[in-house]
Amino acid sequence: MARAGLTAQRIVAAGADLADEVGFDRVTASELARRFDVKVASLYSHLKNAHELNVGIALLALEELADRVSEALAGRAGKGALVAVANAYLDYSREHPGRYAATQFPLDHETALASAGVRHSAMMKAILRGYDLGEEDQVHAVRLLGSVFHGYASLDAAGSFAHSAPDSQQSWVRILDGIDTLLQHWRQ
């Protein structure tokens, strides 16, 4: 790529693409510099360090995923919302494995509060509007949903479900059915 027009945004986007190709933990400034046909020092005139690059990729991925989840959630409630959002997470993790891994990158408190992570939390709570849960139960349910969505996506990405029948999609559907049943009867 040409040197002209090199910006922090373009570097982060290229880093996100590279993460999808080789894995988030394998993104390096030297590989990005090669892709832009510049010296590594040129990248650091736009970004402070590798940490800032990782934060940028994480923020980009959180924003992309939030947009996708928001679109999936629109006009849905209850089980329909649960399934649509769960599938949006799983599909994103399959289509963008490096970006999805970046969504788990630890952000400092202020950066996290200004990120699309806040939208993710709000959308998880929006799923729960279709269930009769009190405020404290919603917190527990959001944690459950996040754990299941991320856990399944991570195991799926590692190939953990590829070695046995039945097809893992059948398990995914049954898991979501089970969560729906649990949420319907959550109150004690």
Side-chain angles (χ1 to χ4, degrees), residues 95-167:
E95 293 166 23
H96 299 289
R99 283 172 163 90
Y100 184 77
T103 66
Q104 303 304 307
F105 187 74
L107 302 173
D108 66 73
H109 183 69
E110 283 185 25
T111 303
L113 287 178
S115 78
V118 175
R119 286 178 55 205
H120 286 274
S121 180
M123 288 184 286
M124 289 294 193
K125 285 186 178 181
I127 292 171
L128 300 175
R129 285 190 201 117
Y131 301 95
D132 186 28
L133 301 178
E135 201 165 313
E136 184 177 322
D137 286 336
Q138 286 181 26
V139 172
H140 298 306
V142 165
R143 291 174 181 165
L144 169 71
L145 295 177
S147 298
V148 171
F149 297 171
H150 178 65
Y152 195 92
S154 297
L155 291 168
D156 180 70
S160 299
F161 304 132
H163 307 296
S164 61
D167 180 71

Side-chain angles (χ1 to χ4, degrees), residues 18-73:
L18 180 59
D20 284 340
E21 293 172 29
V22 301
F24 178 64
D25 59 339
R26 298 184 69 201
V27 172
T28 64
S30 51
E31 178 57 31
L32 284 173
R34 272 194 291 283
R35 288 178 181 224
F36 283 106
D37 194 25
V38 299
K39 295 187 185 302
V40 172
S42 297
L43 298 181
Y44 290 128
S45 66
H46 300 280
L47 296 169
K48 291 179 197 171
N49 51 37
H51 179 78
E52 187 173 6
L53 173 63
N54 288 339
V55 168
I57 295 169
L59 293 174
L60 172 67
L62 285 167
E63 190 71 35
E64 289 175 349
L65 182 55
D67 290 345
R68 186 176 289 199
V69 169
S70 177
E71 186 176 307
L73 183 60

